[in-house]
Amino acid sequence: MKNKVFVILSIGAVSYLAIVGAVLMLYQADPADLQWQERETYNARQIGQFDLGMSKDSVIRVLGSPDITEAKASSEGDMQVLFYRTHHVTSDGITTKDECTPLVFRDNKLIAWGNDSYRDYQNYQRRE
């Protein structure tokens, strides 16, 4: 009797672990499905793990569509800034740049992120 109970419990535990493992491996979180508070946390956490040189497509695959974008051509290459909401400022239902972290790309490669890098991007625009 004890062996039978042990076998049943073992099969149940292994089955449970297999199902949980499959869900964790196959489930892909879609940032678009998250509530705004969850998405801010998700975006900030993911951006903190990025490496310079990442492709724009890789960033979009991780974070989804940006909240705001800017782009321009320059003598150094095509520049683009993608803004992702990472912190709450005003409860007005509108996402603004001051609630976002800017990610700066040159020729579709991540070259910088954060407010200082965006200010550098803006100053660079004025010099050209």
XYZ file of all heavy atoms in Angstrom, residues 47-106:
461
model
N 15.520 47.018 -19.765
C 16.505 48.006 -20.227
C 17.790 47.885 -19.413
O 18.888 48.014 -19.951
C 15.920 49.435 -20.164
C 14.828 49.591 -21.234
C 17.003 50.492 -20.344
C 13.993 50.855 -21.108
N 17.668 47.601 -18.145
C 18.835 47.434 -17.292
C 19.715 46.261 -17.684
O 20.866 46.178 -17.265
N 19.200 45.364 -18.500
C 19.968 44.195 -18.939
C 20.504 44.335 -20.364
O 21.173 43.439 -20.865
C 19.092 42.940 -18.848
C 18.672 42.614 -17.433
C 17.759 41.410 -17.375
O 17.689 40.605 -18.283
N 17.036 41.291 -16.269
N 20.196 45.442 -21.024
C 20.628 45.630 -22.411
C 22.132 45.866 -22.499
O 22.760 46.335 -21.551
C 19.908 46.815 -23.049
C 18.467 46.537 -23.411
C 17.642 47.574 -23.798
C 17.939 45.265 -23.365
C 16.320 47.335 -24.146
C 16.614 45.017 -23.703
C 15.804 46.055 -24.092
N 22.675 45.569 -23.662
C 24.073 45.821 -23.971
C 24.157 46.792 -25.144
O 23.326 46.739 -26.061
C 24.790 44.521 -24.375
C 24.900 43.540 -23.217
O 25.238 43.988 -22.106
O 24.664 42.335 -23.434
N 25.160 47.654 -25.108
C 25.396 48.522 -26.250
C 25.653 47.653 -27.478
O 26.249 46.582 -27.381
C 26.585 49.441 -25.985
C 26.392 50.447 -24.850
C 27.678 51.223 -24.613
C 25.245 51.392 -25.150
N 25.174 48.117 -28.614
C 25.354 47.370 -29.851
C 24.186 46.468 -30.201
O 24.161 45.886 -31.283
N 23.217 46.331 -29.283
C 22.035 45.520 -29.602
C 21.329 46.114 -30.808
O 21.313 47.331 -30.995
C 21.055 45.503 -28.423
C 21.425 44.597 -27.302
S 20.173 44.600 -25.984
C 18.804 43.762 -26.776
N 20.710 45.278 -31.590
C 19.964 45.775 -32.743
C 18.618 46.349 -32.289
O 18.072 45.939 -31.257
C 19.726 44.660 -33.760
O 18.772 43.739 -33.271
N 18.114 47.271 -33.072
C 16.804 47.861 -32.775
C 15.735 46.773 -32.797
O 14.840 46.756 -31.951
C 16.481 48.969 -33.775
C 15.161 49.671 -33.477
C 14.890 50.788 -34.455
C 14.470 50.189 -35.762
N 13.920 51.129 -36.715
N 15.827 45.840 -33.737
C 14.848 44.753 -33.813
C 14.859 43.893 -32.551
O 13.804 43.486 -32.070
C 15.114 43.875 -35.038
C 14.789 44.585 -36.344
O 14.025 45.573 -36.316
O 15.319 44.156 -37.389
N 16.037 43.643 -31.985
C 16.133 42.856 -30.751
C 15.464 43.583 -29.592
O 14.761 42.971 -28.791
C 17.592 42.579 -30.394
O 18.188 41.763 -31.352
N 15.680 44.880 -29.508
C 15.067 45.679 -28.447
C 13.552 45.651 -28.577
O 12.826 45.434 -27.595
C 15.603 47.130 -28.465
C 14.780 48.033 -27.562
C 17.068 47.157 -28.059
N 13.049 45.830 -29.789
C 11.601 45.828 -30.005
C 11.018 44.451 -29.721
O 9.912 44.333 -29.195
C 11.266 46.323 -31.428
C 11.585 47.814 -31.529
C 9.803 46.060 -31.773
C 11.468 48.402 -32.917
N 11.757 43.387 -30.030
C 11.295 42.039 -29.724
C 11.121 41.859 -28.214
O 10.193 41.208 -27.760
C 12.288 41.015 -30.270
C 11.657 39.865 -30.980
C 12.572 38.811 -31.556
N 13.974 39.078 -31.726
C 14.526 39.645 -32.822
N 13.778 40.025 -33.826
N 15.827 39.830 -32.893
N 11.999 42.466 -27.420
C 11.929 42.333 -25.959
C 10.873 43.261 -25.364
O 10.070 42.851 -24.530
C 13.305 42.625 -25.318
C 13.209 42.701 -23.806
C 14.319 41.578 -25.737
N 10.873 44.529 -25.784
C 10.022 45.542 -25.146
C 8.705 45.809 -25.871
O 7.833 46.469 -25.326
C 10.786 46.863 -25.034
C 12.026 46.862 -24.141
C 12.700 48.223 -24.172
C 11.675 46.464 -22.725
N 8.577 45.353 -27.101
C 7.379 45.669 -27.871
C 7.523 47.031 -28.528
O 8.604 47.627 -28.551
N 6.435 47.527 -29.059
C 6.448 48.829 -29.737
C 6.758 49.948 -28.753
O 6.264 49.927 -27.623
C 5.100 49.108 -30.389
O 4.839 48.147 -31.374
N 7.549 50.931 -29.180
C 7.861 52.046 -28.276
C 6.641 52.938 -28.063
O 5.719 52.968 -28.881
C 8.978 52.788 -29.003
C 8.806 52.430 -30.436
C 8.219 51.056 -30.464
N 6.673 53.683 -26.966
C 5.589 54.628 -26.681
C 5.712 55.876 -27.547
O 4.708 56.453 -27.955
C 5.610 55.002 -25.191
C 5.277 53.802 -24.317
O 4.117 53.376 -24.348
O 6.181 53.293 -23.640
N 6.933 56.312 -27.810
C 7.207 57.523 -28.607
C 8.477 57.252 -29.411
O 9.363 56.548 -28.936
C 7.425 58.756 -27.691
C 6.210 58.983 -26.783
C 7.746 60.000 -28.500
C 6.446 59.991 -25.663
N 8.575 57.806 -30.603
C 9.793 57.663 -31.399
C 10.185 58.995 -32.014
O 9.344 59.875 -32.219
C 9.643 56.650 -32.548
O 8.622 57.111 -33.433
C 9.288 55.289 -32.046
N 11.474 59.140 -32.282
C 12.025 60.263 -33.037
C 13.100 59.695 -33.949
O 13.739 58.703 -33.591
C 12.677 61.303 -32.123
C 11.733 62.103 -31.285
C 12.448 63.164 -30.456
O 13.653 63.430 -30.689
O 11.802 63.713 -29.564
N 13.315 60.329 -35.086
C 14.366 59.859 -35.995
C 14.880 61.014 -36.827
O 14.179 62.007 -37.046
C 13.829 58.761 -36.899
N 16.132 60.872 -37.292
C 16.721 61.852 -38.197
C 17.926 61.231 -38.875
O 18.524 60.283 -38.372
C 17.123 63.115 -37.461
C 18.362 62.954 -36.599
C 18.745 64.259 -35.955
C 20.090 64.139 -35.296
N 21.151 64.636 -36.113
N 18.255 61.761 -40.014
C 19.479 61.365 -40.697
C 20.567 62.348 -40.288
O 20.315 63.538 -40.120
C 19.278 61.398 -42.207
N 21.783 61.842 -40.097
C 22.897 62.707 -39.739
C 24.113 62.295 -40.556
O 24.108 61.267 -41.227
C 23.207 62.597 -38.235
O 23.853 61.379 -37.964
N 25.158 63.090 -40.452
C 26.388 62.776 -41.174
C 27.044 61.508 -40.633
O 27.831 60.868 -41.316
C 27.363 63.955 -41.097
O 27.666 64.237 -39.746
N 26.707 61.120 -39.386
C 27.273 59.915 -38.777
C 26.403 58.682 -38.992
O 26.764 57.598 -38.571
C 27.479 60.132 -37.280
C 28.545 61.154 -36.974
C 28.821 61.250 -35.484
O 28.507 60.290 -34.755
O 29.327 62.285 -35.067
N 25.246 58.840 -39.590
C 24.339 57.720 -39.828
C 22.926 58.071 -39.423
O 22.662 59.148 -38.900
N 22.026 57.165 -39.667
C 20.627 57.369 -39.286
C 20.489 57.228 -37.778
O 20.954 56.252 -37.190
C 19.727 56.358 -39.990
C 19.696 56.562 -41.493
O 19.939 57.699 -41.937
O 19.425 55.585 -42.223
N 19.871 58.217 -37.165
C 19.681 58.234 -35.710
C 18.199 58.023 -35.408
O 17.342 58.557 -36.111
C 20.123 59.573 -35.128
C 21.550 59.970 -35.436
S 22.765 59.015 -34.548
C 22.511 59.608 -32.888
N 17.930 57.257 -34.362
C 16.556 57.056 -33.925
C 16.543 56.936 -32.411
O 17.452 56.365 -31.812
C 15.959 55.797 -34.557
C 14.487 55.650 -34.279
C 13.841 54.572 -35.136
O 14.510 53.701 -35.671
N 12.536 54.631 -35.254
N 15.498 57.504 -31.811
C 15.306 57.402 -30.362
C 13.953 56.741 -30.128
O 12.936 57.194 -30.659
C 15.347 58.779 -29.671
C 15.188 58.621 -28.164
C 16.619 59.524 -30.003
N 13.974 55.653 -29.368
C 12.748 54.975 -28.964
C 12.536 55.262 -27.485
O 13.462 55.107 -26.679
C 12.859 53.462 -29.176
C 13.228 52.971 -30.565
C 13.251 51.449 -30.590
C 12.293 53.512 -31.619
N 11.351 55.697 -27.128
C 11.027 56.020 -25.736
C 10.105 54.943 -25.179
O 9.063 54.646 -25.759
C 10.298 57.370 -25.650
C 11.151 58.543 -26.022
C 11.271 58.943 -27.343
C 11.824 59.271 -25.055
C 12.049 60.036 -27.695
C 12.607 60.360 -25.387
C 12.711 60.744 -26.721
N 10.511 54.368 -24.041
C 9.707 53.363 -23.355
C 9.376 53.851 -21.958
O 10.257 54.273 -21.211
C 10.460 52.027 -23.274
C 10.522 51.318 -24.595
C 11.603 51.489 -25.448
C 9.481 50.486 -25.002
C 11.652 50.848 -26.675
C 9.528 49.834 -26.216
C 10.610 50.012 -27.048
O 10.655 49.374 -28.260
N 8.100 53.766 -21.623
C 7.642 54.225 -20.309
C 8.259 53.371 -19.213
O 8.167 52.154 -19.227
C 6.125 54.149 -20.252
C 5.558 54.737 -18.986
C 4.055 54.713 -19.014
N 3.581 55.214 -17.755
C 2.600 56.082 -17.624
N 1.984 56.526 -18.678
N 2.233 56.488 -16.444
N 8.903 54.057 -18.229
C 9.543 53.350 -17.122
C 9.198 53.933 -15.756
O 9.569 53.355 -14.736
C 11.079 53.365 -17.280
O 11.523 54.709 -17.437
C 11.524 52.507 -18.459
N 8.543 55.074 -15.713
C 8.192 55.655 -14.417
C 6.996 56.598 -14.571
O 6.808 57.227 -15.597
C 9.378 56.391 -13.787
C 10.069 57.332 -14.727
N 10.951 56.926 -15.698
C 9.993 58.672 -14.857
C 11.380 57.968 -16.384
N 10.811 59.035 -15.892
N 6.201 56.661 -13.524
C 4.968 57.443 -13.493
C 5.256 58.876 -13.038
O 5.988 59.080 -12.082
C 3.985 56.779 -12.523
C 2.706 57.502 -12.356
N 1.704 57.445 -13.289
C 2.262 58.297 -11.367
C 0.687 58.188 -12.870
N 1.003 58.711 -11.704
N 4.685 59.844 -13.757
C 4.827 61.244 -13.352
C 3.454 61.858 -13.103
O 3.183 62.373 -12.021
C 5.604 62.063 -14.416
C 5.641 63.531 -14.049
C 7.018 61.523 -14.582
N 2.573 61.793 -14.095
C 1.260 62.437 -13.986
C 0.155 61.447 -14.338
O 0.256 60.730 -15.324
C 1.170 63.637 -14.959
O 2.271 64.504 -14.709
C -0.119 64.396 -14.782
N -0.902 61.430 -13.558
C -2.048 60.553 -13.814
C -3.024 61.224 -14.774
O -4.121 61.602 -14.412
C -2.752 60.209 -12.505
O -1.909 59.470 -11.684
N -2.593 61.377 -16.019
C -3.455 62.010 -17.006
C -3.814 61.080 -18.160
O -4.496 61.469 -19.089
C -2.799 63.282 -17.552
C -1.437 63.030 -18.174
O -1.028 61.862 -18.274
O -0.784 64.018 -18.560
N -3.338 59.832 -18.106
C -3.653 58.865 -19.149
C -2.824 59.014 -20.408
O -3.042 58.320 -21.388
N -1.868 59.948 -20.404
C -1.025 60.196 -21.569
C 0.424 59.908 -21.191
O 0.909 60.379 -20.174
C -1.155 61.659 -22.036
C -2.605 61.965 -22.419
C -0.225 61.946 -23.208
C -2.879 63.439 -22.640
N 1.100 59.124 -22.037
C 2.516 58.862 -21.802
C 3.328 59.968 -22.456
O 3.182 60.247 -23.640
C 2.924 57.497 -22.393
O 2.166 56.483 -21.733
C 4.403 57.235 -22.193
N 4.184 60.612 -21.671
C 5.028 61.693 -22.169
C 6.498 61.303 -22.033
O 6.835 60.348 -21.332
C 4.765 62.990 -21.378
O 4.961 62.724 -19.985
C 3.339 63.499 -21.597
N 7.364 62.034 -22.702
C 8.790 61.713 -22.700
C 9.388 61.709 -21.301
O 10.293 60.930 -21.025
C 9.564 62.692 -23.591
C 9.294 62.498 -25.053
C 10.071 63.520 -25.869
C 9.687 63.440 -27.324
N 10.348 64.485 -28.122
N 8.876 62.568 -20.412
C 9.446 62.617 -19.064
C 9.072 61.392 -18.229
O 9.598 61.207 -17.136
C 9.065 63.913 -18.348
C 7.573 64.060 -18.099
O 6.771 63.459 -18.848
O 7.198 64.793 -17.176
N 8.196 60.536 -18.747
C 7.843 59.286 -18.077
C 8.538 58.084 -18.723
O 8.270 56.949 -18.357
C 6.326 59.071 -18.141
C 5.554 60.146 -17.409
C 4.056 60.021 -17.573
O 3.580 59.773 -18.701
O 3.363 60.182 -16.558
N 9.422 58.363 -19.663
C 10.052 57.308 -20.452
C 11.571 57.330 -20.321
O 12.164 58.345 -19.979
C 9.711 57.486 -21.933
S 7.964 57.326 -22.318
N 12.165 56.198 -20.652
C 13.612 56.110 -20.806
C 13.897 56.100 -22.303
O 13.368 55.249 -23.023
C 14.168 54.830 -20.156
O 13.899 54.892 -18.751
C 15.664 54.699 -20.397
N 14.707 57.049 -22.792
C 15.043 57.066 -24.210
C 16.166 56.083 -24.534
O 17.132 55.967 -23.772
C 15.493 58.508 -24.441
C 15.970 58.986 -23.113
C 15.198 58.232 -22.082
N 16.024 55.378 -25.642
C 17.051 54.485 -26.158
C 17.504 55.047 -27.495
O 16.697 55.225 -28.405
C 16.513 53.064 -26.350
C 16.350 52.220 -25.078
C 15.244 52.728 -24.192
C 16.110 50.785 -25.449
N 18.786 55.365 -27.615
C 19.325 56.038 -28.806
C 20.020 55.004 -29.692
O 20.884 54.254 -29.228
C 20.311 57.156 -28.410
C 20.834 57.874 -29.641
C 19.640 58.145 -27.448
N 19.645 54.999 -30.964
C 20.205 54.077 -31.945
C 20.877 54.854 -33.064
O 20.397 55.912 -33.481
C 19.099 53.214 -32.578
C 18.418 52.302 -31.611
C 17.380 52.756 -30.808
C 18.811 50.988 -31.494
C 16.750 51.922 -29.919
C 18.184 50.139 -30.595
C 17.153 50.608 -29.805
N 22.001 54.324 -33.539
C 22.629 54.834 -34.762
C 22.738 53.641 -35.703
O 23.306 52.612 -35.357
C 24.008 55.417 -34.500
C 24.620 55.974 -35.790
C 26.034 56.500 -35.653
N 26.221 57.372 -34.533
C 27.168 57.197 -33.598
N 27.987 56.174 -33.653
N 27.290 58.050 -32.604
